[in-house]
Amino acid sequence: MNYPDFLDINDTVGYVAPSFGCAIEPYRTAFMRAREVFSKKRLSEELGPNCFADDGIGISTTPEKCAREFMDMYASETNQALISCGGGELMCEILPYMDFEVIYRAKPKWFMGYSDNTNLTFLLTTALDIATIYGPCISSFGMDPWHRSIRDAFDLLTGADTVVSKGEDGVITVTMHNYDGWEKESAKDEEHPFAPYQISELFIPAIYGGREAEGRLIGGCLDVLNNIAGTRFDRVKAFNSRYADDGVLWYLESCDLNVMDMRRALWHLRECGWFENA
C-alpha cells in the first residue's frame, strides 16, 4: 500500500469538484470560511476550475471536465493533498474519462471526501493501491465549532500526534475511534452555514460473535459500491488476494437505499466475491 505524506506547515491543499461543487448556499459560504480556517493554520490553497461550477447534471460540470480537473490536480506538484468540494449523484460518469495511469505515475497524495466521492476514494485504494481518507468534504471544515470528527480528519491529514504515532521501528500507526452519537437532522442552511453537527442519536454498537477483528479497512457509500461492482473498474478480488494474509474490514454507509435495497446490494457484492477474506 502506498501511503501519502502528511501535510506540513506551508503545504498546499488542492480543492476539486469531481462530484458537486460549492456553487450554492450554504456550501459556498461554508467553503469560504473553511479556506480562511486553513489559511490561519498556515496552509496554502490551489483551486480546481470546477469548485464553483454548477452546469452539470448530478455533478459540478460535465464528466469530461470533472475527470480532467481531478487528473490535473492530482498530478500537480503545487498541492500536496486534495479535498473534495462535496458529494453528489453522478460522479460515476467521470470514470470512463479517467486515465488512472496519470494517477498511478504521480507522487501519492491524500484525497479526502465521502459519499459520491467513494467512486475515487475506493478505486484509488483497490485499483491503484493508494491509501485515501473517507472523510468530510471541505465545506464541513467551515463549521463553528469543529466537531471532534472534523478535528480528527484534519489531524489525520497533517499527521498530528493526536492520531498518528511512529514506533522505534519506523512503523506509523494511526489510531481512530468512533463517537458517542450522530446527526440525524442537520441545522445547516442558508441562514446558518456554519452550524455544527446536531448530535441527537446515540451510537449503539452491535458486535456479533463477540470477536475482535483486524484487517485492511476499505469501503464507502453502499449506493456507489453496488454501482461499481462487476464493471471494468472493479479490482476488489485482486485487492482481496493481495492482502489475503491481512484480512479485510469493510465499512459501509448508505445514502438513498431502503432496507431491501441494502440487502440486495450486499447480496450483489457478496456474489461478486467482494467479501472474500473479510
Side-chain angles (χ1 to χ4, degrees):
M1 182 65 64
N2 296 298
Y3 292 95
D5 294 333
F6 297 112
L7 287 175
D8 204 350
I9 293 174
N10 297 323
D11 274 350
T12 298
V13 180
Y15 303 125
V16 291
S19 191
F20 280 145
C22 292
I24 61 173
E25 298 296 350
Y27 306 105
R28 186 184 184 96
T29 298
F31 178 34
M32 301 301 284
R33 185 178 188 279
R35 293 166 64 191
E36 293 175 0
V37 171
F38 275 38
S39 178
K40 290 178 181 178
K41 293 182 179 296
R42 299 172 66 182
L43 291 172
S44 299
E45 67 175 31
E46 183 180 13
L47 285 175
N50 303 329
C51 288
F52 298 105
D54 64 352
D55 60 311
I57 299 175
I59 50 177
S60 59
T61 185
T62 66
E64 297 93 331
K65 289 181 180 178
C66 286
R68 173 50 56 192
E69 176 195 53
F70 190 88
M71 290 186 292
D72 288 348
M73 291 288 282
Y74 198 96
S76 170
E77 296 182 359
T78 300
N79 70 76
Q80 286 72 50
L82 297 180
I83 302 178
S84 178
C85 284
E89 298 290 347
L90 292 175
M91 188 173 163
C92 58
E93 293 187 351
I94 83 170
L95 298 182
Y97 301 99
M98 289 289 299
D99 182 352
F100 287 98
E101 187 65 26
V102 171
I103 309 300
Y104 185 75
R105 291 196 305 264
K107 180 181 179 181
K109 63 179 65 172
W110 292 114
F111 171 56
M112 182 164 69
Y114 77 120
S115 192
D116 203 23
N117 292 280
T118 298
N119 282 286
L120 286 179
T121 57
F122 186 75
L123 291 183
L124 263 61
T125 298
T126 55
L128 302 183
D129 223 31
I130 301 171
T132 57
I133 301 174
Y134 193 79
C137 297
I138 186 57
S139 64
S140 294
F141 290 92
M143 73 169 59
D144 185 25
W146 277 5
H147 182 262
R148 178 61 188 273
S149 62
I150 302 298
R151 166 63 61 186
D152 284 348
F154 184 83
D155 286 353
L156 179 55
L157 273 174
T158 56
D161 58 13
T162 54
V163 297
V164 177
S165 60
K166 189 173 184 179
E168 295 181 358
D169 55 0
V171 174
I172 293 176
T173 300
V174 176
T175 303
M176 303 295 285
H177 56 81
N178 214 324
Y179 305 96
D180 293 336
W182 50 280
E183 177 184 72
K184 187 174 183 179
E185 298 292 339
S186 175
K188 189 174 183 178
D189 57 27
E190 293 183 9
E191 295 182 357
H192 308 91
F194 312 137
Y197 293 143
Q198 306 298 301
I199 306 301
S200 60
E201 311 299 313
L202 290 177
F203 168 67
I204 303 175
I207 302 174
Y208 298 98
R211 297 182 302 169
E212 292 186 356
E214 61 181 26
R216 297 277 173 169
L217 187 64
I218 60 172
C221 179
L222 184 59
D223 313 43
V224 174
L225 297 174
N226 189 46
N227 200 40
I228 292 173
T231 68
R232 59 191 167 108
F233 306 105
D234 181 352
R235 298 290 187 274
V236 174
K237 293 186 75 172
F239 180 90
N240 286 342
S241 176
R242 189 159 59 248
Y243 294 107
D245 291 340
D246 297 341
V248 174
L249 289 176
W250 284 88
Y251 63 90
L252 301 168
E253 55 94 356
S254 178
C255 177
D256 293 325
L257 304 182
N258 62 38
V259 173
M260 291 303 171
D261 289 334
M262 293 179 195
R263 183 157 181 160
R264 283 187 287 267
L266 291 172
W267 178 89
H268 182 210
L269 300 188
R270 185 189 68 196
E271 293 304 312
C272 285
W274 280 31
F275 298 146
E276 294 174 5
N277 300 323

